[in-house]
Amino acid sequence: MTVVPVALGARSYEVWIEAGLLARAGPALRHLANGRAMPIVTDENLRGHLPVLQASLHAVGIASEALILPPGEGTKSWTQLAAVCDCLLEQGVERGDHIIAFGGGVIGDLTGFAASILKRGCNFVQFPTTLLSQVDSSVGGKTAINSAAGKNLVGAFHQPALVLIDPDLLDTLPQRQVRAGYAEVVKYGLIDDFAFFEWCEAHAEALLRGDAAAREYAIAHSVAAKARIVGEDERETTGKRALLNLGHTFGHALEAETGFSDKLLHGEGVAAGMALAFAYSAHKGLCPGQDAERVAAHIRAVGLPDGLKAAGIAASGTRLVEHMLHDKKMASGTLPFLLARGIGQTYLDKTVDLADVAAFLDAQPRGAACVHRP
Ligand code: GLY
């Protein structure tokens, strides 16, 4: 088992990573249960795995009723938040209890937010089941739902008490989802860890094929990187945590253009966004062109979109920049961008001229139609 500590003073916790952990969840969680039930919030996609989790909890005497929600981004809503809160209150949840979020980023974000407001804040455990949630959203305490005004606009920082990661859960995840999650893995190399980017170049194929050692190493390394960054800037106030948003501003525009739909998954938008962030940095003379090309080549090699064309985006630069203006990272009328001086040398730039970004995007090869991704 790999244990990664997340050092946040009184809110510190650990991330446990081990193949097969699902079947050992009961023993892993017994110390938190304290004789109380541990309700589970999950979605339809996890129906096959849920009995394994519940059997393991029951075997050590932990009662656990499960609330099974519809899968998909639409579940991060006021309606489902109310449903989760009402259901947990009916089950008699108390402030010291631990709710288990068993699912991908949607379930983790929704359950974490519900836990942050129930009884003015109760405990929760993240049990992420997608690569994206294992290496990013389950660690660091960002929780949220979407509102009519945009994604993740209503939420709270609320750290979990423990994160349990079983890489074997990825065996049943659609390959497209695994690939999309991989974008957030390689992100850590691009941000500030050139050696890890080189590791990704050498091992991505094995990782995506399901090689256990490559998968576990990539998850542990990514979680450790995230824990370090979150430990330095829990609430994204110093700019350090903002580095985790590499590719997300460009990506957000592409996701908005495709209606935050299955046409472009979040990780696919991030992959294209990271390639664009490097291409823009090279275009501005900030970063060697060969670094930008190397990033794009790797993203292409793993089957992720490396720009507007591969993402099937035909919209004008002006339209894409308009989408960016609705990004929640807007502050005092300016939009901070993550740019790069090279691979592993990302920094936050608050002086980027949006008209210049629009012109850059207009000059990019673009897609004629939406690409179908198997
Ligand atoms: N996914 C970005 C963050 O957790 O800060």
Side-chain angles (χ1 to χ4, degrees):
M1 161 124 61
T2 305
V3 176
V4 180
V6 185
L8 292 170
R11 293 175 305 289
S12 296
Y13 54 97
E14 290 180 340
V15 183
W16 297 1
I17 305 159
E18 187 178 49
L21 193 52
L22 179 64
R24 294 187 286 280
L29 291 170
R30 192 166 25 192
H31 69 292
L32 294 178
N34 207 15
R36 298 278 302 168
M38 292 184 109
I40 299 168
V41 180
T42 188
D43 70 32
E44 294 285 351
N45 288 338
L46 275 308
R47 259 193 199 281
H49 293 298
L50 184 61
V52 182
L53 174 58
Q54 285 183 308
S56 176
L57 292 169
H58 294 169
V60 297
I62 304 173
S64 66
E65 276 185 49
L67 174 61
I68 305 177
L69 301 173
E73 193 67 30
T75 291
K76 276 173 62 169
S77 64
W78 288 105
T79 311
Q80 295 295 357
L81 177 68
V84 171
C85 289
D86 287 342
C87 173
L88 293 170
L89 289 170
E90 268 166 35
Q91 289 184 34
V93 74
E94 293 179 3
R95 191 182 280 176
D97 292 350
H98 292 77
I99 302 155
I100 302 172
F102 184 52
V106 167
I107 290 297
D109 282 9
L110 172 71
T111 309
F113 186 38
S116 80
I117 54 177
L118 269 168
K119 300 283 173 94
R120 297 204 173 88
C122 63
N123 302 312
F124 82 116
V125 171
Q126 288 272 21
F127 206 140
T129 59
T130 61
L131 182 57
L132 193 131
S133 57
Q134 291 179 347
V135 299
D136 184 23
S137 60
S138 66
V139 178
K142 278 190 181 175
T143 75
I145 58 167
N146 304 327
S147 84
K151 272 183 73 170
N152 294 329
L153 292 181
V154 181
F157 284 99
H158 188 56
Q159 300 293 345
L162 180 67
V163 183
L164 298 182
I165 298 180
D166 181 350
D168 283 356
L169 286 165
L170 304 182
D171 288 341
T172 48
L173 192 69
Q175 187 62 19
R176 184 182 171 198
Q177 294 279 356
V178 177
R179 221 182 294 131
Y182 174 75
E184 301 277 6
V185 172
V186 72
K187 180 183 83 176
Y188 295 107
L190 297 178
I191 289 174
D192 63 359
D193 189 349
F194 179 66
F196 185 57
F197 177 73
E198 286 187 308
W199 183 92
C200 286
E201 284 183 317
H203 296 93
E205 196 269 329
L207 189 167
L208 294 171
R209 191 173 9 95
D211 179 88
R215 204 157 66 177
E216 202 156 326
Y217 177 78
I219 294 171
H221 195 91
S222 301
V223 167
K226 177 131 192 198
R228 176 174 45 82
I229 291 171
V230 169
E232 285 176 38
D233 181 19
E234 183 182 8
R235 289 184 165 243
E236 208 166 312
T237 46
T238 67
K240 184 78 191 178
R241 185 167 181 161
L243 296 179
L244 294 170
N245 295 324
L246 175 63
H248 284 61
T249 299
F250 283 104
H252 176 89
L254 310 193
E255 283 185 86
E257 182 61 23
T258 45
F260 295 99
S261 69
D262 283 355
K263 285 180 190 156
L264 192 72
L265 301 179
H266 175 67
E268 293 166 346
V270 169
M274 292 190 299
L276 287 167
F278 270 82
Y280 182 69
S281 302
H283 166 76
K284 297 302 288 177
L286 299 163
C287 149
Q290 65 202 39
D291 280 24
E293 183 39 46
R294 188 169 168 182
V295 171
H298 179 60
I299 287 172
R300 269 195 308 277
V302 296
L304 285 165
D306 64 345
L308 298 183
K309 187 169 183 191
I313 302 289
S316 70
T318 310
R319 183 172 162 87
L320 293 172
V321 164
E322 295 248 316
H323 290 310
M324 291 177 188
L325 295 176
H326 294 113
D327 196 305
K328 67 179 175 315
K329 293 182 277 299
M330 280 287 288
S332 313
T334 62
L335 184 58
F337 272 77
L338 272 304
L339 299 182
R341 297 190 179 93
I343 296 173
Q345 298 171 56
T346 304
Y347 71 100
L348 192 64
D349 193 321
K350 295 185 176 167
T351 64
V352 173
D353 174 9
L354 289 175
D356 190 51
V357 173
F360 161 78
L361 289 171
D362 275 333
Q364 295 295 302
R366 53 217 327 100
C370 271
V371 176
H372 172 72
R373 277 170 238 290

